Amino acid sequence: MNNLRKKYSFLLVLTVFFSVLFFYSCPMEADLELETPSLAEAYEDYFPIGTAVNSTTIRSHRDIAKYHFSSLTAENEMKFDHLQPQKGNFTFERADEIIELARKNNMMVRGHVLVWHSQTPAWVFQENGKRVSREELLERMRTHIRIVVGHFKGDIYAWDVVNETISDNPNEIYRRDNPWLDIIGEEYIAEAFRAAHEADPDAKLFYNDYNAIQPQKMNKIYNMLKKLLDDGVPIHGVGIQGHWDIGSFSSLQLMQAIEKYASLGLEVQITELDMSVFSWGDNRRLAEPSTEMLEKQSQCYQNIFNICKRYPDDITGITLWGVADDSTWKDNYPVRNRKDWPLLFDVKHQPKEAFWGVIEASK
Ligand code: GLA
């Protein structure tokens, strides 16, 4: 009897021992989350890692944005139509919320964007129902820049001053559908940079464009920037937007572009990075991305970060155009209402293979 009791007590002790061991060796969900490395920390020796946020995602994606990113860009809230919807009526509330989030969490902020042909209200280009004069438009542009850059002075370290002025058409330099160019002429570019510099001499001023690594367009951008620099225009960097897809992204083109722009003494940033799982022209609709798509996407992201790390003196930031796949403009471009999965976190905000590819590249 005594022996039996001893045996049972021994078994009980063993059971308790192994249960405790099992309990502590199984990480709980919260622990797993904490164990996910932070993107910003992984790259802190290289450059800030940013994300574009908007008035909705600063709430719905706040924790993940704070944990993984060290820089913010407003997806829309600092564009002309948001900041000055009517002449003289400046509306900073939504943009200020983004600044507040950055301030509280020690994040940097890129300003986006001062002068662009898109998302600019019609009133800017009109006067009494007619086309505004060149002098008046220059005045409106300078006023907008002075007030906006002045408002954010000290909070915004870099501005996209001019966005997308170069044409994709091999036969022309500047794009045609741009009222700034049409009414003022190409001097609007230099004037915009001068006005921004005057409003905040400490801010880094960027020219920003898409297809900026495509050789033909890159050469046009390079020539324009070279001329501006030769003329003494205060310009400090070039933003390669980086809206790419897994079918056409070229590591070689990215390297060539970084070297070409950096040869002008300019900083280079990737300012709007996302990687569509659909090659250009692939208009399919899918319920889920395939494993192959996600692997390819991860490889592309890994290549981008590996390349950027190789240019520590030239690359001064990479910003993702969104936080997670549940909120991305790619769901409506180039195919309206077609789900895409271009970012580093999935629709449930969990790290994707692409995330781990980026972490791998940091090592
Ligand atoms: C361009 C602009 C961005 C944004 C994207 C699409 O790249 O620079 O502000 O509008 O298009 O989301």
Side-chain angles (χ1 to χ4, degrees):
M1 185 66 193
N2 232 357
N3 266 352
L4 206 63
R5 193 178 292 159
K6 264 192 199 152
K7 205 168 155 191
Y8 274 118
S9 316
F10 179 67
L11 276 178
L12 190 72
V13 170
L14 265 189
T15 314
V16 171
F17 175 76
F18 280 111
S19 309
V20 169
L21 197 72
F22 179 74
F23 181 78
Y24 280 106
S25 63
C26 278
M28 285 177 291
E29 206 177 4
D31 290 342
L32 275 180
E33 267 172 35
L34 285 178
E35 278 163 22
T36 308
S38 147
L39 282 174
E41 269 175 33
Y43 282 88
E44 69 188 349
D45 291 341
Y46 299 101
F47 33 72
I49 306 288
T51 182
V53 289
N54 57 46
S55 299
T56 306
T57 57
I58 55 165
R59 293 181 178 81
S60 54
H61 296 58
R62 177 177 289 247
D63 291 344
I64 188 168
K66 274 163 43 177
Y67 184 69
H68 284 289
F69 299 95
S70 50
S71 168
L72 297 178
T73 301
E75 191 174 353
N76 289 303
E77 290 71 3
M78 293 184 191
K79 290 175 179 169
F80 208 128
D81 57 354
H82 279 250
L83 293 185
Q84 200 188 167
Q86 292 94 29
K87 192 170 185 218
N89 172 22
F90 285 85
T91 46
F92 287 115
E93 293 75 13
R94 289 180 168 210
D96 286 346
E97 284 185 344
I98 294 172
I99 297 285
E100 198 49 37
L101 173 65
R103 268 200 206 141
K104 278 195 185 137
N105 295 285
N106 248 334
M107 298 158 110
M108 302 163 86
V109 184
R110 295 192 85 256
H112 176 79
V113 52
L114 295 170
V115 187
W116 188 26
H117 63 275
S118 181
Q119 292 186 256
T120 302
W123 71 259
V124 176
F125 307 111
Q126 288 164 8
E127 180 82 85
N128 301 325
K130 287 208 232 111
R131 200 166 119 130
V132 70
S133 70
R134 181 178 187 276
E135 286 60 40
E136 176 62 20
L137 185 57
L138 264 171
E139 191 51 38
R140 288 178 185 181
M141 184 184 81
R142 291 192 188 112
T143 305
H144 182 78
I145 292 175
R146 180 172 45 79
I147 293 179
V148 169
V149 174
H151 177 86
F152 294 110
K153 194 172 169 180
D155 285 317
I156 286 190
Y157 83 100
W159 271 104
D160 291 330
V161 178
V162 173
N163 202 26
E164 302 179 352
T165 197
I166 295 293
S167 172
D168 293 302
N169 179 344
N171 301 318
E172 60 189 23
I173 297 175
Y174 297 107
R175 62 188 298 152
R176 292 255 172 83
D177 56 345
N178 177 4
W180 296 105
L181 183 91
D182 211 23
I183 299 171
I184 300 176
E186 65 186 87
E187 300 79 30
Y188 90 90
I189 303 164
E191 285 312 304
F193 279 96
R194 289 195 182 106
H197 187 61
E198 204 172 298
D200 183 358
D202 295 328
K204 300 269 187 188
L205 306 182
F206 279 71
Y207 174 71
N208 192 51
D209 213 331
Y210 66 93
N211 282 348
I213 67 170
Q214 189 267 326
Q216 211 161 42
K217 191 160 171 183
M218 174 188 71
N219 282 323
K220 287 190 274 185
I221 296 173
Y222 172 90
N223 291 337
M224 174 188 74
L225 294 173
K226 180 161 188 338
K227 168 122 192 358
L228 289 168
L229 288 166
D230 288 348
D231 292 347
V233 175
I235 170 163
H236 313 109
V238 52
I240 294 171
Q241 288 186 2
H243 295 297
W244 289 313
D245 67 71
I246 60 169
S248 61
F249 169 69
S250 158
S251 295
L252 183 66
Q253 287 185 357
L254 176 59
M255 282 189 278
Q256 286 170 341
I258 294 171
E259 286 174 19
K260 180 110 182 163
Y261 296 133
S263 74
L264 290 169
L266 292 173
E267 291 184 19
V268 182
Q269 298 197 358
I270 300 183
T271 52
E272 306 183 18
L273 179 57
D274 47 24
M275 185 64 64
S276 173
V277 300
F278 296 103
S279 302
W280 194 257
D282 176 354
N283 294 344
R284 282 177 301 163
R285 288 165 196 272
L286 299 178
E288 297 290 336
S290 69
T291 312
E292 198 193 342
M293 283 170 157
L294 294 178
E295 276 167 10
K296 202 152 180 217
Q297 183 184 54
S298 175
Q299 197 52 59
C300 291
Y301 268 114
Q302 195 170 335
N303 291 347
I304 292 166
F305 280 76
N306 261 323
I307 290 168
C308 288
K309 266 177 60 189
R310 273 191 238 155
Y311 299 94
D313 297 335
D314 307 315
I315 296 284
T316 57
I318 298 186
T319 291
L320 276 293
W321 203 243
V323 183
D325 285 346
D326 59 327
S327 177
T328 164
W329 77 295
K330 294 300 293 178
D331 285 352
N332 284 300
Y333 186 85
V335 180
R336 265 203 92 70
N337 213 7
R338 186 269 303 267
K339 184 77 202 117
D340 199 345
W341 299 271
L343 296 165
L344 299 178
F345 297 90
D346 69 16
V347 292
K348 293 187 175 141
H349 301 188
Q350 297 304 307
K352 292 163 63 181
E353 196 164 333
F355 169 87
W356 295 110
V358 172
I359 291 294
E360 193 51 39
S362 73
K363 293 176 184 161

